[in-house]
Amino acid sequence: MFIKYRLARPAAATRLKRAGPIAAVLVAALVLVPAASSGTYADKSGDNASAGDITGVEIAADKTSGQIIFRITGSNLSTVATTPTFLLVDSDANPLTGDVMSVGADYVFGVDNDSYFFQHWSGSDWVDTTYATVRIVGGGGSLIISVNRSELGNTAAFNFWVESYDSVNKKWDDAPDEGTFNYSIDANGPDIQSVDLQTAPTAGPKAGKKFVVTAVGLHLPPSGAASSATTVPESYSCQAVLGKRAVAGTGTGGCTLSIPKKKSRGKQLKVTVTVTYQGATKAFDYTFRVR
């Protein structure tokens, strides 16, 4: 089980001034580029005590330039010096490397009301990182951190988590509450690695009967979460082909399939299940033999 370490600004960290209007223009321009990859992650509100309340994170990545934007939304984020917001990035998506007390984080951004720091894990401590592409704007209801992936170990897929912290009252809000989020530039969100299915009947399709396919869970890269709760897709849909003929579907996602009674026994039914989760969409093919 991993426990998120309660971060505080390291005493030796360099206090860097927040970026001004020019950075805001650059960020706005990047969000609009057609090559952007995006993911959307929600966090429940009202669980922040006296810290800033994080309610979501959006990521936009330009596949051409490699610039990545994190837009953290909520309320009272980094409004005073004693309520900083932290963004931690596990650049190799492995919670067993990097700072394991911070769920494998390799890089950290800390932002208060008028300054920020950017550090990397040296193997034993957090140390200042030189940079050329980091821009920080906003606060309150929306905080934007922009950085090129070349300064995050040239990562293309990573885990991350966000924490708001009230250093006076020692209260915090983590997003997610346990473990980390995952993001892949190519996947436009988390890297969905496989899908768990349930079928009715469980023995597979039968000639002349309904065959129902349900996507009940997703498998993502390890996040350091101790919970065994199943990750459920936000939506799913099905496309089916029996032999060379398309099979129409009804019900949720078109996943209730009517198997023809005649000339279907022994044939192969191919079902493509497409799932969506936190901005990512991925399709998986499954084959069944009609009884």
Side-chain angles (χ1 to χ4, degrees):
M1 176 179 179
F2 293 95
I3 301 174
K4 292 182 180 177
Y5 178 63
R6 297 301 146 208
L7 289 163
R9 181 189 299 278
T14 302
R15 292 177 63 87
L16 307 170
K17 296 301 292 182
R18 299 272 288 278
I22 293 178
V25 173
L26 292 174
V27 169
L30 180 55
V31 171
L32 296 176
V33 297
S37 162
S38 61
T40 304
Y41 308 81
D43 184 64
K44 65 182 179 182
S45 62
D47 60 346
N48 57 305
S50 55
D53 190 7
I54 302 167
T55 57
V57 183
E58 297 176 21
I59 299 182
D62 187 334
K63 295 181 180 180
T64 301
S65 72
Q67 197 74 8
I68 304 171
I69 293 174
F70 300 82
R71 186 191 305 272
I72 305 164
T73 56
S75 59
N76 300 317
L77 301 174
S78 302
T79 52
V80 296
T82 57
T83 59
T85 303
F86 300 96
L87 166 65
L88 296 99
V89 178
D90 174 8
S91 59
D92 62 356
N94 184 351
L96 298 179
T97 62
D99 180 11
V100 295
M101 292 296 290
S102 298
V103 205
D106 303 295
Y107 298 89
V108 59
F109 300 83
V111 186
D112 64 19
N113 59 315
D114 68 352
S115 62
Y116 68 92
F117 68 82
F118 176 39
Q119 297 187 328
H120 75 275
W121 182 249
S122 69
S124 59
D125 200 2
W126 290 101
V127 296
D128 290 334
T129 296
T130 57
Y131 70 92
T133 66
V134 176
R135 300 291 186 272
I136 310 288
V137 296
S142 177
L143 177 65
I144 296 174
I145 299 173
S146 176
V147 61
N148 196 276
R149 74 187 188 100
S150 62
E151 301 196 83
L152 297 174
N154 205 37
T155 182
F158 53 86
N159 290 339
F160 71 97
W161 58 284
V162 181
E163 179 177 276
S164 61
Y165 184 57
D166 175 0
S167 61
V168 175
N169 298 299
K170 303 298 186 291
K171 302 294 183 180
W172 55 82
D173 183 22
D174 288 346
D177 293 332
E178 186 179 11
T180 61
F181 294 123
N182 177 262
Y183 178 79
S184 164
I185 293 176
D186 289 337
N188 300 309
D191 180 15
I192 302 171
Q193 298 180 338
S194 62
V195 177
D196 291 332
L197 294 185
Q198 285 184 353
T199 64
T202 56
K206 187 173 182 180
K209 302 294 184 180
K210 300 284 187 182
F211 181 58
V212 182
V213 176
T214 305
V216 295
L218 303 176
H219 292 274
L220 305 174
S223 70
S227 173
S228 59
T230 301
T231 300
V232 179
E234 293 167 355
S235 64
Y236 62 91
S237 62
C238 298
Q239 287 188 324
V241 176
L242 181 64
K244 295 183 179 181
R245 185 174 64 177
V247 177
T250 59
T252 302
C255 293
T256 297
L257 308 172
S258 297
I259 308 302
K261 186 173 183 179
K262 297 181 179 180
K263 299 181 180 180
S264 62
R265 285 189 178 87
K267 288 188 176 180
Q268 179 176 282
L269 176 70
K270 177 182 175 182
V271 182
T272 300
V273 180
T274 301
V275 294
T276 61
Y277 183 66
Q278 293 177 333
T281 300
K282 194 168 183 178
F284 297 86
D285 291 333
Y286 300 88
T287 57
F288 306 89
R289 187 69 63 181
V290 177
R291 297 177 292 132

